[in-house]
Amino acid sequence: MRKGYQENFLTNFSLALPQPSLALEGDILQPPGLSHGQKVVPYIHFSLLMSISTKQAIYSAANVDNSAQQTISGGKGRKWFIDERVGRENQITNDAYTGTPWDRGHLTRRTAVTWGSYNTALEASNDSCAYTNASMQHKHFNEDEWRVPELAVAKFKLAKGNKLVVMTGPIFTTCDRYFTKGIGFTPVRIPSAFWKAITYVAINGDLVTSAYIFFQDTDTLKTTKAKQRIQLRHFRVTTTELQLWTGLVFDEQMFDSNPLKFYDGPETIRVSELKDLSTKTKALLAAGVATAQTIKAARHKMKLDSLYELVDELSWY
């Protein structure tokens, strides 16, 4: 049974799915195969929300249990399929990928949801190969830069109970490119970037969120060896940045649990209460409205070495 993403998956915490902003609401697909009003499409261990205009997922959110992982060997659980609940006309199908440099880039990675009993893991593996869970990723990006956060999730060691909530999706901008095969082929919009947010319960019981953005730009498409030298922490962003780039409204806990706190929103810090960002003080949790001047002041009050220590403390790649 496809229960989809579970909000209470993490011990002692309930993490809601992202909600579309007012600007996005009109672009949310009502899947014809789901009950009226049910727009989130459930799969095994993950759920996603579809865009009308791009025919790609706005986000895909997964429950990941690395302590119960199963290995699905050979060619099992790898057959791409059209989800009839969403409708063939509402998703990008194989025509856009066959004979092109564009990969069916998994949003929720296949191996991230292959946990539980073997049969459940096998079904989850198959579910992850729905075209709704794929987005236009250049083969160099899909097999290189994007592999870095995917492998980090697979090798994650800091979560209590080895459980993670992993949310991910494309970022579309006014500068997006379009792919076409010629006359009669409907152009496909190519994401300018992709984001991933990982939330987990640390060993000490605290909730922690790490968020990342990877741009699918000209430089990333030139190389196939970036994953050997880039460091994941250099792509880290605040939850506010994710909200601004995606138009999604994230659970407030994903702001307060993100250690990068230099932007307007629940995660900002009042400079008057700022003491030491490398320790967990009341100043870290203080919410306020920060102007450009206060953000600049906050940055000056923190030594660069202290910032590096803070980022390294919760970086896991």
Side-chain angles (χ1 to χ4, degrees), residues 94-240:
N94 211 37
D95 289 346
Y97 305 108
T98 303
T100 77
W102 300 99
D103 281 354
R104 296 166 294 202
H106 273 87
L107 294 177
T108 287
R109 195 185 188 202
R110 186 184 64 83
T111 55
V113 291
T114 53
W115 57 269
S117 69
Y118 180 83
N119 287 338
T120 298
L122 178 59
E123 291 176 7
S125 178
N126 280 316
D127 254 12
S128 76
C129 291
Y131 283 114
T132 54
N133 188 45
S135 195
M136 296 287 285
Q137 291 187 345
H138 193 278
K139 61 183 180 181
H140 290 173
F141 178 85
N142 182 37
E143 298 168 11
D144 194 18
E145 287 85 358
W146 191 240
R147 195 61 57 87
V148 175
E150 288 185 329
L151 291 177
V153 170
K155 297 177 181 179
F156 198 89
K157 301 295 183 184
L158 299 178
K160 189 173 184 179
N162 287 322
K163 290 185 175 183
L164 311 169
V165 163
V166 181
M167 300 179 182
T168 187
I171 292 176
F172 294 99
T173 73
T174 56
C175 299
D176 293 336
R177 293 158 291 175
Y178 286 80
F179 173 77
T180 183
K181 285 185 172 181
I183 298 173
F185 183 90
T186 303
V188 179
R189 192 169 178 177
I190 301 169
S192 291
F194 290 86
W195 61 274
K196 191 177 291 289
I198 299 95
T199 302
Y200 62 97
V201 180
I203 303 302
N204 65 1
D206 289 344
L207 193 70
V208 181
T209 294
S210 299
Y212 306 89
I213 290 178
F214 282 75
F215 284 90
Q216 187 171 231
D217 53 21
T218 303
D219 289 338
T220 64
L221 304 189
K222 287 180 179 177
T223 177
T224 59
K225 298 181 179 180
K227 66 177 179 290
Q228 300 172 10
R229 64 176 183 270
I230 63 176
Q231 296 185 42
L232 187 58
R233 66 175 183 245
H234 295 157
F235 295 83
R236 202 161 183 176
V237 297
T238 69
T239 306
T240 304

Side-chain angles (χ1 to χ4, degrees), residues 293-312:
Q293 290 76 18
T294 56
I295 291 171
K296 183 177 179 180
R299 284 175 170 154
H300 280 296
K301 281 183 175 289
M302 186 176 184
K303 294 181 179 179
L304 193 59
D305 289 344
S306 298
L307 175 61
Y308 288 154
E309 289 174 4
L310 174 64
V311 174
D312 285 338

